[in-house]
Amino acid sequence: MNRAMTLDDLLLGGIALATGFLVAFLSRALLLWLGKHAKRTRWSGDDVVVDALRTVVPWAALAGGAASAAAVLPLTKAVQHTVNQCLTVLLIFVVTVSAARVIAGLVQSVTQSRSGVAGSATIFVNITRVLVLAIGFLVMLQSLGISIAPMLTALGVGGLAVALALQDTLANLFAGIHILASKTVQPGDYIKLSSGEEGYVEDINWRQTTVRALSNNLIVIPNGQLAQANMTNFMRPEQQLTVLVQVGVSYDSDLEQVERVTMEVVAEVMTGIAGAVPDHEPAVRFHTFGDSRIGFTVILGVGEFSDQYRIKHEFIKRLHKRYRDEGIRIPAPARNVSLQQGTAVIPQQRSAEDAGDTVASRTDG
């Protein structure tokens, strides 16, 4: 159009802009109301979707109002084309950012729901966000009339050089993806490496795995090293595990009484201490005639790895008190030290009664 701009043109353009602002305001208010209701649901995905729409819809309304205003105004074709391109780029940018936020948020909600104790696998979240932003950037260039084929070719050639320069980084990246895809380790698992590091897996990102030790310190392990290490996962194939407690009683003890009293203490601990597994069938197994005691193993069931310390603590306290009340003796090992030509010789461990008999026989002699 080459005609001069009139007051009617400005009025129609203003109405189009005002309509866009009004729609943007009403849509944002509506989405705020929907966001409050979405927070009441258990699924966190609807919160992510509503939050993204709260950004996209108002900007789309503003862009629509601006495009309508530009259409009714007597602008030249060049100016009209420039305005449309600017609005298109703005809309693509807003949609791309919102889509990256939505998809990354949904991936994060899924990983958090499956992670067990804590944490989230940010490696998938970061990869998803970068891919969506890259696709949006290419679409934006294509909308501006810029051919992306040469750029893709250059990226392919340059990517080879980058891959050679970042071998360790890419090795850690693919090792992290392999670890998560194979479900060998997931955030929330308690692991122990052959090198001694142990703790709860907090996060697995594109380069490293963060482990929180029971001392609340963070241990950072490269993904490549984690994939190659000998590792024990105490959460798989199931979270519950058994704990072995070694106990010994004197030879003059009634083993039937020892077993009965021990099982009563086990039942008391299993039903009264948090973290125990009442449905687990405990067991007492005698296994050794020792130098000063008869040894046996008590098998307890715990809910997860860190619960074992509290369960063993309470079990040993209560078992010691109950044995003392029942007259069941836990003998202390004794050592008899004698001197031969100025050299101290320590024989094998013997009970206190045996040591007393030896002293008595020497006195009689």
Side-chain angles (χ1 to χ4, degrees), residues 42 65 72 91 110 125 130 144 170 191 213 237 255 259 265 282 328 343:
R42 296 182 178 179
V72 300
L91 191 58
V110 172
V125 176
V130 170
L144 293 175
L170 292 177
I191 63 173
L255 297 186
E259 184 175 6
V265 175
I328 300 174
T343 303

Side-chain angles (χ1 to χ4, degrees), residues 37-291:
H37 287 276
K39 291 181 180 179
R40 301 176 184 175
T41 61
R42 296 182 178 179
W43 184 50
S44 60
D46 52 357
D47 299 336
V48 177
V49 174
V50 172
D51 183 62
L53 291 177
R54 197 164 54 194
T55 304
V56 173
V57 175
W59 278 103
L62 291 176
S68 301
V72 300
L73 293 176
L75 303 177
T76 61
K77 290 184 178 180
V79 175
Q80 182 78 30
H81 179 70
T82 303
V83 171
N84 290 336
Q85 277 193 331
C86 293
L87 293 176
T88 302
V89 169
L90 175 62
L91 191 58
I92 292 175
F93 175 76
V94 173
V95 171
T96 301
V97 173
S98 301
R101 185 187 305 172
V102 170
I103 298 176
L106 292 177
V107 171
Q108 186 174 12
S109 65
V110 172
T111 55
Q112 286 180 339
S113 64
R114 299 180 60 186
S115 61
V117 179
S120 63
T122 57
I123 181 172
F124 289 144
V125 176
N126 292 335
I127 291 175
T128 302
R129 184 182 290 113
V130 170
L131 287 177
V132 174
L133 291 176
I135 293 173
F137 178 72
L138 294 177
V139 173
M140 189 183 304
L141 293 179
Q142 190 71 27
S143 66
L144 293 175
I146 301 174
S147 178
I148 62 175
M151 183 178 298
L152 294 177
T153 304
L155 288 176
V157 176
L160 180 60
V162 172
L164 293 175
L166 301 177
Q167 292 184 19
D168 294 338
T169 301
L170 292 177
N172 289 324
L173 172 62
F174 288 109
I177 295 175
H178 170 72
I179 289 171
L180 290 173
S182 63
K183 297 184 179 179
T184 304
V185 177
Q186 297 288 318
D189 290 351
Y190 191 95
I191 63 173
K192 181 176 181 179
L193 303 184
S194 58
S195 55
E197 296 88 354
E198 62 179 295
Y200 288 101
V201 178
E202 286 281 310
D203 185 33
I204 303 176
N205 59 30
W206 62 275
R207 181 181 179 275
Q208 62 202 15
T209 297
T210 305
V211 176
R212 182 177 296 276
L214 294 179
S215 59
N216 210 31
N217 297 323
L218 291 180
I219 304 173
V220 179
I221 305 171
N223 293 333
Q225 179 181 342
L226 182 64
Q228 297 177 1
N230 295 328
M231 176 183 59
T232 302
N233 191 334
F234 292 95
M235 297 294 190
R236 299 182 184 276
E238 60 183 23
Q239 186 171 333
Q240 296 181 1
L241 68 154
T242 56
V243 176
L244 307 181
V245 181
Q246 304 299 328
V247 190
V249 294
S250 62
Y251 276 91
D252 58 359
S253 302
D254 182 357
L255 297 186
E256 295 292 338
Q257 179 192 16
V258 170
E259 184 175 6
R260 175 182 56 81
V261 171
T262 304
M263 291 297 291
E264 291 176 358
V265 175
V266 170
E268 179 184 346
V269 172
M270 289 293 101
T271 55
I273 303 300
V277 183
D279 298 335
H280 182 272
E281 183 177 356
V284 175
R285 296 292 181 264
F286 296 96
H287 56 72
T288 304
F289 287 103
D291 292 329

Side-chain angles (χ1 to χ4, degrees), residues 265-333:
V265 175
V266 170
E268 179 184 346
V269 172
M270 289 293 101
T271 55
I273 303 300
V277 183
D279 298 335
H280 182 272
E281 183 177 356
V284 175
R285 296 292 181 264
F286 296 96
H287 56 72
T288 304
F289 287 103
D291 292 329
S292 60
R293 65 183 68 191
I294 296 177
F296 61 94
T297 301
V298 182
I299 304 175
L300 307 174
V302 298
E304 60 107 358
F305 184 84
S306 62
D307 292 333
Q308 64 174 308
Y309 302 105
R310 180 173 58 255
I311 301 301
K312 291 169 67 174
H313 169 77
E314 290 294 333
F315 173 71
I316 292 175
K317 281 201 315 182
R318 300 187 185 195
L319 186 66
H320 181 267
K321 182 178 183 300
R322 185 67 185 277
Y323 277 5
R324 187 173 55 186
D325 296 340
E326 296 287 341
I328 300 174
R329 191 167 60 87
I330 303 176

Side-chain angles (χ1 to χ4, degrees), residues 334-362:
R335 291 179 180 269
N336 185 19
V337 181
S338 61
L339 296 177
Q340 296 181 357
Q341 298 180 355
T343 303
V345 179
I346 304 178
Q348 294 182 345
Q349 291 182 353
R350 292 188 295 177
S351 63
E353 291 85 352
D354 295 339
D357 294 341
T358 301
V359 174
S361 63
R362 291 181 179 178

